Amino acid sequence: DGGITQSPKYLFRKEGQNVTLSCEQNLNHDAMYWYRQDPGQGLRLIYYSQIVNDFQKGDIAEGYSVSREKKESFPLTVTSAQKNPTAFYLCASNTGGTTDTQYFGPGTRLTVL
Amino acid sequence: QQQVKQSPQSLIVQKGGISIINCAYENTAFDYFPWYQQFPGKGPALLIAIRPDVSEKKEGRFTISFNKSAKQFSLHIMDSQPGDSATYFCAAIGVRGSYQLTFGKGTKLSVIP
């Protein structure tokens, strides 16, 4: 059963805490992406990685960090420096070509209490 | 700076009617334009995509019309069904060196019986 999994589905965090969102894919895709979705704002790119051990900032990287130690995994850490972290976070992957379809995971809804 | 403008924000269509969603872009480096469909609580899924060397692409009830000179493209859903009720996002990407999908803000479509 191929696809992208994200966990947890719902996450609650107290202010001042770091939290890590998991993204795993078994599609053998080289590229992985993290997006943030807010109501009425569309999707905005946080970070992306075209290859293991390499990643680039997207449009809204401040307050976030990522790692890419394995091809199938691309965890996102939301740090306490992120001023407004409550959002729906989506992970995606593709083979790496710019016109290759990006396949999205089911998302993680993060709420800061 | 919003590079892809999408309208309307919300749309209510009678079952069997035509749903039309419009997008406009400014960056002439964009040359691949996908549309995504997203159901509540789920990740977006690719619906249909077009390159600017064609003016129209049809897949089943879904058609993209593309006007390169006006830098506009639109999604038409023919014979709209209640199951089409979802949020639709247009997006754009420039294949020359950019791996970032730029999304419109989305259109929430409701198809009423």
Side-chain angles (χ1 to χ4, degrees), chain A residues 2 16 22-23 25 27 29 43 46 51 54 61-64 74 80-81 84 88 98 102 106 108 112-113:
Chain A
S22 169
C23 177
Q25 54 97 2
L27 300 168
H29 284 167
L43 283 74
I46 304 172
I51 196 170
D54 189 41
E62 186 175 349
Y64 300 98
F74 191 39
S80 56
N84 186 18
F88 190 47
T98 54
Q102 289 190 20
T108 292
V112 174
L113 305 172

Side-chain angles (χ1 to χ4, degrees), chain A residues 37 50 59 96 98-99 101 105, chain B residues 38 43 46 89 93 95 98-100:
Chain A
Q37 186 175 23
Q50 298 295 117
D59 296 326
T98 54
T99 60
T101 300
Chain B
Q38 185 181 29
L46 180 70
F89 294 94
I93 191 168
V95 295
S98 170
Y99 293 90
Q100 295 192 34

Side-chain angles (χ1 to χ4, degrees), chain A residues 12-81:
Chain A
F12 298 90
R13 188 195 95 176
K14 293 182 180 178
E15 280 192 27
Q17 286 181 338
N18 292 357
V19 63
T20 298
L21 282 59
S22 169
C23 177
E24 304 275 333
Q25 54 97 2
N26 60 5
L27 300 168
N28 200 32
H29 284 167
D30 289 314
M32 297 186 75
Y33 308 80
W34 273 107
Y35 292 90
R36 171 181 170 140
Q37 186 175 23
D38 297 282
Q41 291 297 317
L43 283 74
R44 292 180 290 169
L45 184 66
I46 304 172
Y47 268 98
Y48 65 101
S49 169
Q50 298 295 117
I51 196 170
V52 173
N53 292 323
D54 189 41
F55 47 82
Q56 283 76 42
K57 293 181 179 180
D59 296 326
I60 56 165
E62 186 175 349
Y64 300 98
S65 65
V66 293
S67 63
R68 186 86 186 276
E69 297 176 1
K70 298 187 296 182
K71 184 176 183 178
E72 56 272 18
S73 178
F74 191 39
L76 173 75
T77 297
V78 184
T79 75
S80 56

Side-chain angles (χ1 to χ4, degrees), chain B residues 15 37 39 61-62 77 79-86 88 109-112:
Chain B
K15 178 182 174 182
Q37 179 189 55
F39 293 103
R61 295 184 294 110
F62 301 91
I77 306 174
D79 187 26
S80 299
Q81 300 296 313
D84 297 331
S85 298
Y88 293 81
L109 172 65
S110 299
V111 181
I112 55 176

Side-chain angles (χ1 to χ4, degrees), chain B residues 68-94:
Chain B
K68 187 174 181 178
S69 61
K71 291 187 285 185
Q72 295 175 344
F73 57 110
S74 60
L75 175 70
H76 291 62
I77 306 174
M78 312 300 286
D79 187 26
S80 299
Q81 300 296 313
D84 297 331
S85 298
T87 299
Y88 293 81
F89 294 94
C90 60
I93 191 168

